[in-house]
Amino acid sequence: MDHDSTTAPGHASQPDPVTRLFDVRGKVVVVTGASSGLGEGFARTLAQAGVTVFAAARRVERLEVLAEEHESVIPVACDVTIDADRRALVERAIAGRGRIDILVNTAGIPGPPYAEQETEDGFRRILEVNLASQFHLATAVAATVPEGREASIINVSSVIGMVSTAPIGGAGYAASKAGVLGLTRELAGQWGRRGIRVNAIVPGWFDTEMTEGLFTNERSATWVRRNTMLNRGGRAGEVDGALLFLASPASSYVTGQAIVVDGGWTAR
C-alpha cells in the first residue's frame, strides 16, 4: 500500500507531498484589479483553491457579483492611486483575518498606441496606476509582515515591458510595465532577508477587457498568431498556473524573478 497520501484508519487523509507543494488553503490574499480581466480570474482561482480573497477594484458592483459566487471573496472598493483607499484595503484585510500572506498587484490601465498621442496627464496617470500603486501597496503590505513570517508579493507586468510590440502597446504602458520588472527585482533584494518574496508574472496576449478588439479584428489576431510560437493568443486560466506557483510553497526559493506566460512571444 502507498502510505504517502494516506493515514491510519480513523484519521482524515492528508495531502501527499506533491499536492502540499501547491497548497494555498487558508491563506489570506489581496488582489487588485479584480473586477475584470486577469485580476478577476486570479480572484476566482484563488477562491477555488481555498484562499480568503480581498478583491479590490473601483467597480465594486462587479466584485459583489464575484462574492456572491464565491463566499471566500470579500469585495473592497479601492482606487489604487488614492493613499486612503490603499491604507483602508490593507487595514480591512488585517482587521478581518489578522494578516496578509499574498499580495497580487494586478490593477492596470492601457494608454494610446502612439507616443504622439500621449498627454502629460495621461502618461502620469498610467504610471500612477500601473507602477506607483504596486510600489505603495507592496510597501504597505510588507510593513504588516512580522519577523519570522513569510509573504509573497506578485506583481503583474507585461511582454510590452520587455520588448517593443509596436504598433500595439504604447510608450506610457511600456514604461510602466518595464518599471514593474525593475521594482520587482529591487524589492526582492531589499526584503529577501525578511522572508518576503517578490516576483512578477509577465503575460502575453490574452483576450481581456484591456485588449478589446485585438482578437476580433482579423488583422491584429493574425499578427498575434504569426508572432507567437504556439500560434495563438492565451486562453482563459493559462496564467493561473504561474499565479499558484508563486503563491504556494512550490516557489519558496524563488524571488526577484519574472515568469513569462506568452506562448513564446518574447523568445522569437
Side-chain angles (χ1 to χ4, degrees), residues 214-261:
L214 179 66
F215 291 97
T216 55
N217 180 288
E218 185 55 34
R219 183 178 179 183
S220 59
T222 299
W223 176 75
V224 169
R225 291 194 298 268
R226 185 177 64 247
N227 291 285
T228 304
M229 289 181 176
L230 294 183
N231 195 41
R232 62 176 176 83
R235 296 168 181 153
E238 287 192 315
V239 189
D240 294 357
L243 170 75
L244 290 173
F245 170 68
L246 292 176
S248 70
S251 62
S252 61
Y253 199 52
V254 178
T255 196
Q257 302 304 308
I259 297 183
V260 183
V261 187

Side-chain angles (χ1 to χ4, degrees), residues 36-125:
S36 65
L38 294 180
E40 180 183 359
F42 289 164
R44 289 180 185 279
T45 294
L46 289 167
Q48 291 167 359
V51 168
T52 297
V53 182
F54 286 85
R58 291 178 298 168
R59 296 177 293 188
V60 70
E61 68 281 358
R62 293 193 176 191
L63 301 178
E64 289 170 348
V65 171
L66 190 61
E68 290 176 359
E69 298 173 2
H70 302 279
E71 62 179 14
S72 60
V73 171
I74 301 171
V76 183
C78 178
D79 183 332
V80 294
T81 68
I82 298 175
D83 179 59
D85 280 15
R86 293 190 301 262
R87 285 189 284 106
L89 171 61
V90 173
E91 289 169 1
R92 175 90 179 269
I94 295 298
R97 293 296 185 272
R99 69 186 193 280
I100 297 173
D101 300 304
I102 303 158
L103 167 66
V104 187
N105 273 318
T106 318
I109 57 173
Y114 300 107
E116 294 83 0
Q117 298 172 324
E118 301 264 11
T119 66
E120 184 175 341
D121 288 343
F123 192 92
R124 183 183 301 112
R125 175 69 177 172

Side-chain angles (χ1 to χ4, degrees), residues 143-191:
T144 71
V145 181
E147 184 177 352
R149 179 178 292 164
E150 298 180 349
S152 174
I153 295 175
I154 304 168
N155 298 324
V156 176
S157 181
S158 166
V159 293
I160 298 173
M162 298 186 72
V163 297
S164 172
T165 59
I168 298 175
Y173 190 81
S176 69
K177 292 303 185 178
V180 168
L181 298 176
L183 175 68
T184 297
R185 288 189 295 268
E186 181 59 24
L187 294 183
Q190 291 192 23
W191 296 342

